[in-house]
């Protein structure tokens, strides 16, 4: 078993040096676009631990004391974030827009 | 790394579809309570498996790990603002004659009475709303087209800008009076007067939006 940065592991997978890798969703997805297959997701494993449904694995972290005095700001941010996700969930056109923007702004490695 | 394409990016349709679907899979859809409950269960599992070497000092998920947003409050703020407006209106109306400023309860009473007697709703209100809709449609359609053009083409912006400034500063009353003088006391003249009044505001808003838009043009 080899540990390494997700980007490096993904690169090594593409070069054919590894048979499999455990990695973050975006690297896993990038490998999928190159013909690799996803074997299992964390969400698939959770029921075996007695967990009922999909569980958020990443999130926003902030200081509790600061949050107590900035509730309104945080709530508005989370509200905006939720609305944005709702758009990404329902609108394919929005993804086309992102793809064009990606293609323009992402430097070729 | 020898990759010929960016690691994160979707430059063809099939790749975009994979990214889109995988991203959507990861969007949390459950309540904070449900997530926290499951997180507590998973924490216990991790503690059982790895002890404090894995999870640190605590034996249970720390209370307050999950933040509970109060979206209800966001709506409440708007509602309170509206109630405050009505309260100020009502308060001032208590100190002046109804001819100067009738209170909200008086105005609502008149509206209710007219609705009951059939004088107001549908017939008259409907006619006014139809005029507003017609004027709005014209102003939005023409304003959006002109605004987009001025936002995109520099020459159009330079040509149109002086006109815009004149229209923006022309009082609504002047446009209305001129419209009725030139067009007669007709339906078309009234609708056009309102549309012309709102046109420059639409143009400016769309032009500013187009000029500042950097994303997804």
């Amino acid at each position: 078993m080899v540990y390494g940065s997700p980007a490096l592991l993904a690169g090594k997978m593409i070069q054919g040096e590894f048979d499999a890798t455990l990695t973050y969703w975006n690297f896993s997805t990038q490998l999928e676009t190159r013909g690799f297959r996803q074997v299992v997701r964390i969400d698939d494993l959770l029921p075996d631990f007695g967990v009922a449904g999909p569980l958020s694995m990443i999130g926003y972290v902030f200081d509790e004391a600061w949050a107590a005095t900035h509730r309104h700001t945080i709530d508005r941010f989370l509200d905006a974030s939720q609305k944005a996700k709702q758009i990404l969930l329902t609108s394919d056109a929005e993804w086309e827009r992102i793809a064009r923007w990606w293609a323009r702004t992402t430097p070729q490695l | 790394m020898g990759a010929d394409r960016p690691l994160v990016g979707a430059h063809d349709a099939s790749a975009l579809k994979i990214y889109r679907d995988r991203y959507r899979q990861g969007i949390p859809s459950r309540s904070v309570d449900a997530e926290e409950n499951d997180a507590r269960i998973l924490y216990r599992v991790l503690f059982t498996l790895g002890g404090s070497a894995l999870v640190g000092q605590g034996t249970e998920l720390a209370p307050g790990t999950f933040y509970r947003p109060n979206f209800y409050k966001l709506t409440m703020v708007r509602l309170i603002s509206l109630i405050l407006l009505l309260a100020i209106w009502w308060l001032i109306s208590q100190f002046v004659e109804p001819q100067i400023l009738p209170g909200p309860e008086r105005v609502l009473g008149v509206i209710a009475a007219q609705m009951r007697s059939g004088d107001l709703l549908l017939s008259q209100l409907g006619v006014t709303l139809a005029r507003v809709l017609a004027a709005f449609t014209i102003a939005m359609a023409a304003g959006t087209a002109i605004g987009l053009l001025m936002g995109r083409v520099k020459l159009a912006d330079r040509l149109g800008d002086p006109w815009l400034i004149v229209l923006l500063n022309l009082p609504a009353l002047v446009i209305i009076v001129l419209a009725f003088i030139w067009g007669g006391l007709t339906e078309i003249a009234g609708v056009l007067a309102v549309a012309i009044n709102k046109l420059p505001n639409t143009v400016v808003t769309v032009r500013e939006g187009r000029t500042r838009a950097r994303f997804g043009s």
Side-chain angles (χ1 to χ4, degrees):
Chain A
M1 191 140 62
V2 179
Y3 293 98
S5 87
L8 183 66
L9 293 178
K12 288 294 171 192
M13 283 291 285
I14 291 163
Q15 287 173 355
E17 284 188 46
F18 300 147
D19 297 322
T21 182
L22 174 67
T23 189
Y24 295 109
W25 83 270
N26 57 316
F27 291 102
S28 165
T29 305
Q30 179 240 332
L31 290 172
E32 276 191 277
T33 64
R34 290 164 179 255
F36 287 86
R37 290 265 302 279
Q38 187 181 70
V39 179
V40 71
R41 306 174 65 230
I42 295 287
D43 284 345
D44 301 331
L45 304 174
L46 288 177
D48 292 339
F49 295 107
V51 169
L55 196 52
S56 303
M57 288 293 160
I58 54 167
Y60 309 102
V61 176
F62 42 83
D63 184 77
E64 212 169 326
W66 176 82
T69 53
H70 294 81
R71 284 202 68 105
H72 191 66
T73 309
I74 295 172
D75 288 354
R76 284 182 60 182
F77 169 71
L78 292 177
D79 184 46
S81 165
Q82 222 171 58
K83 281 174 179 156
K85 291 196 182 82
Q86 202 53 43
I87 293 169
L88 289 172
L89 199 59
T90 52
S91 166
D92 290 351
E94 218 49 41
W95 280 94
E96 298 291 333
R97 243 158 63 97
I98 291 170
R100 284 201 300 274
W101 173 73
W102 240 336
R104 251 203 341 261
T105 57
T106 312
Q108 300 283 322
L109 292 180
Chain B
M1 195 183 303
D4 56 334
R5 282 187 292 172
L7 281 179
V8 179
H11 289 187
D12 60 74
S14 64
L16 177 71
K17 191 182 170 307
I18 296 172
Y19 267 102
R20 190 193 65 200
D21 295 347
R22 288 296 183 211
Y23 182 90
R24 284 174 175 174
Q25 261 186 328
I27 295 177
S29 58
R30 300 197 300 159
S31 71
V32 177
D33 283 332
E35 292 249 2
E36 180 162 39
N37 203 36
D38 274 344
R40 194 173 294 118
I41 293 167
L42 193 62
Y43 194 95
R44 283 184 199 138
V45 172
L46 293 176
F47 181 74
T48 311
L49 290 175
S52 53
L54 183 61
V55 298
Q57 293 161 352
T59 56
E60 285 279 325
L61 184 75
T65 303
F66 281 74
Y67 175 85
R68 280 177 169 67
N70 192 350
F71 294 139
Y72 173 71
K73 201 173 134 197
L74 293 183
T75 323
M76 281 307 287
V77 170
R78 298 179 71 94
L79 195 66
I80 289 168
S81 164
L82 182 65
I83 292 169
L84 194 68
L85 177 69
L86 286 171
I88 292 170
W89 176 10
W90 177 82
L91 198 69
I92 296 172
S93 74
Q94 294 305 297
F95 295 101
V96 297
E97 294 294 311
Q99 293 95 317
I100 307 292
L101 181 70
E105 79 287 353
R106 202 179 270 263
V107 172
L108 281 174
V110 172
I111 291 175
Q114 297 228 357
M115 274 185 172
R116 268 198 303 276
S117 71
D119 284 346
L120 188 64
L121 203 67
L122 291 179
S123 52
Q124 301 183 18
L125 207 60
V127 168
T128 302
L129 284 178
R131 285 178 187 145
V132 169
L133 187 70
F136 175 83
T137 307
I138 296 169
M140 278 307 279
T144 304
I146 298 167
L148 277 177
L149 185 70
M150 288 175 73
R152 272 169 186 267
V153 185
K154 265 237 133 62
L155 181 65
D157 192 35
R158 293 206 182 101
L159 280 172
D161 204 50
W163 291 51
L164 206 54
I165 289 167
V166 170
L167 270 180
L168 274 170
N169 289 285
L170 208 57
L173 217 55
V174 172
I175 295 176
I176 291 164
V177 169
L178 284 179
F180 282 137
I181 290 172
W182 294 342
L185 282 170
T186 60
E187 197 76 355
I188 295 168
V191 168
L192 274 182
V194 178
I196 291 167
N197 253 311
K198 290 300 153 209
L199 181 75
N201 305 61
T202 315
V203 172
V204 167
T205 308
V206 173
R207 181 185 65 176
E208 295 311 304
R210 181 60 191 81
T211 309
R212 287 175 198 170
R214 290 280 176 273
F215 177 73
S217 53

